[in-house]
């Protein structure tokens, strides 16, 4: 049941992302066509070391409240545009071969959110979802060719996502798991662009609502593009 509820909340978040992802996908296409990309000129490999960057994209936040025998679950979800900052460091632990190199790195990021959704149930009363930010500290690992870096990432997620129910105020910072996949493209010796998706799972809350116990699964997802300055 716990796994199912987490999947439902992430599904709600993913649906919200889909409905607001046109901007992110259009920007990704523009990024690939920008003059000065590796298709227009040769780029020197420079993947290791520190970097900082800016991201733009679409987010979705979702929560699913188990309504038990009272009827269908209560689903709350919200999506929109997001802006964020990233920073990190890449290592090449095995050196470089003729084809490329394995990269392992650490990255921190913070993204804006803006969810504000509510629902009224005849038995459980009013439930509301709101949030303003999500951040993570993650490990990135993947393979980099001269101009392309493909990677997976995982780590700790933090957010102020709140789900309030009748008579139960939710506040504080929530911790969870961040998982993602991405691709990074060298634009020149110092700059690179990225396209990535990250899902955030914040597990379940056990709440006493209207005299009975209920589980609330909470999750979020982000699809974003970005540009980074490598040093």
């Amino acid at each position: 049941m716990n796994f199912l509820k987490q999947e439902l909340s992430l599904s709600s978040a993913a649906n919200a992302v889909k409905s607001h992802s046109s901007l992110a996908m259009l920007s990704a296409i523009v990024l690939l066509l920008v003059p000065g990309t590796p298709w227009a000129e040769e780029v020197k490999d420079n993947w290791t070391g520190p970097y900082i960057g800016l991201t733009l994209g679409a987010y979705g936040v979702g929560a699913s409240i188990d309504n038990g025998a009272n009827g269908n679950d209560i689903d709350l979800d919200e999506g929109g545009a997001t802006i964020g900052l990233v920073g990190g460091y890449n290592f090449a632990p095995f050196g470089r071969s003729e084809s490329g190199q394995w990269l392992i790195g650490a990255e921190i990021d913070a993204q804006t959110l803006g969810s504000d959704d509510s629902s009224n149930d005849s038995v459980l009363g009013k439930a509301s979802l709101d949030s303003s930010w999500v951040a993570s500290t993650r490990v990135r690992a993947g393979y980099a060719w001269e101009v392309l870096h493909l990677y997976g990432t995982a780590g700790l997620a933090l957010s102020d996502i709140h789900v309030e129910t009748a008579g139960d105020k939710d506040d504080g910072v929530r911790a969870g798991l961040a998982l993602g996949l991405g691709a990074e493209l060298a634009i020149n010796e110092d700059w690179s662009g990225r396209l990535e998706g990250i899902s955030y799972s914040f597990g379940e809350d056990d709440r006493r609502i209207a005299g009975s116990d209920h589980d609330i699964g909470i999750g979020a997802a982000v699809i974003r593009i970005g540009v980074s300055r490598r040093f």
Side-chain angles (χ1 to χ4, degrees), residues 110-129:
Q111 293 283 146
T112 61
L113 301 176
S115 59
D116 183 10
D117 189 26
S118 63
S119 177
N120 283 288
D121 182 78
S122 59
V123 175
L124 301 184
K126 182 179 180 180
S128 63
L129 168 72

Side-chain angles (χ1 to χ4, degrees), residues 195-206:
L195 172 63
E196 65 186 0
I198 299 181
S199 68
Y200 307 90
S201 177
F202 294 100
E204 287 189 340
D205 281 352
D206 296 324

Side-chain angles (χ1 to χ4, degrees), residues 56-98:
L56 297 170
Y59 74 86
V61 178
S64 182
I65 303 175
D66 174 19
N67 207 358
N70 295 325
N72 296 327
D73 293 349
I74 301 173
D75 291 325
L76 303 170
D77 57 69
E78 186 75 20
T82 178
I83 184 171
L85 296 173
V86 298
Y89 197 101
N90 287 324
F91 301 88
F94 309 115
R96 179 174 173 81
S97 67
E98 291 184 3

Side-chain angles (χ1 to χ4, degrees), residues 99-172:
S99 62
Q101 58 193 326
W102 290 100
L103 294 179
I104 297 177
E107 182 172 279
I108 59 174
D109 74 308
Q111 293 283 146
T112 61
L113 301 176
S115 59
D116 183 10
D117 189 26
S118 63
S119 177
N120 283 288
D121 182 78
S122 59
V123 175
L124 301 184
K126 182 179 180 180
S128 63
L129 168 72
D130 69 87
S131 61
S132 58
W133 60 270
V134 62
S136 66
T137 176
R138 294 170 283 103
V139 173
R140 290 203 312 169
Y143 196 82
W145 293 267
E146 184 175 356
V147 297
L148 179 63
H149 176 207
L150 301 178
Y151 58 87
T153 183
L156 172 68
L158 299 172
S159 180
D160 69 340
I161 297 174
H162 299 154
V163 179
E164 295 189 9
T165 54
D168 189 359
K169 182 174 177 60
D170 179 25
D171 54 20

Side-chain angles (χ1 to χ4, degrees), residues 184-196:
E184 201 167 5
L185 181 71
I187 299 173
N188 58 34
E189 293 183 11
D190 301 319
W191 292 88
S192 62
R194 70 169 64 189
L195 172 63
E196 65 186 0

Side-chain angles (χ1 to χ4, degrees), residues 9-39:
S9 64
L10 287 176
S11 176
S12 297
N15 288 336
V17 164
K18 287 179 183 178
S19 65
H20 294 83
S21 61
S22 298
L23 174 62
M25 300 310 296
L26 178 61
S27 300
I29 295 172
V30 172
L31 176 65
L32 295 178
L33 298 177
V34 170
T37 56
W39 288 275

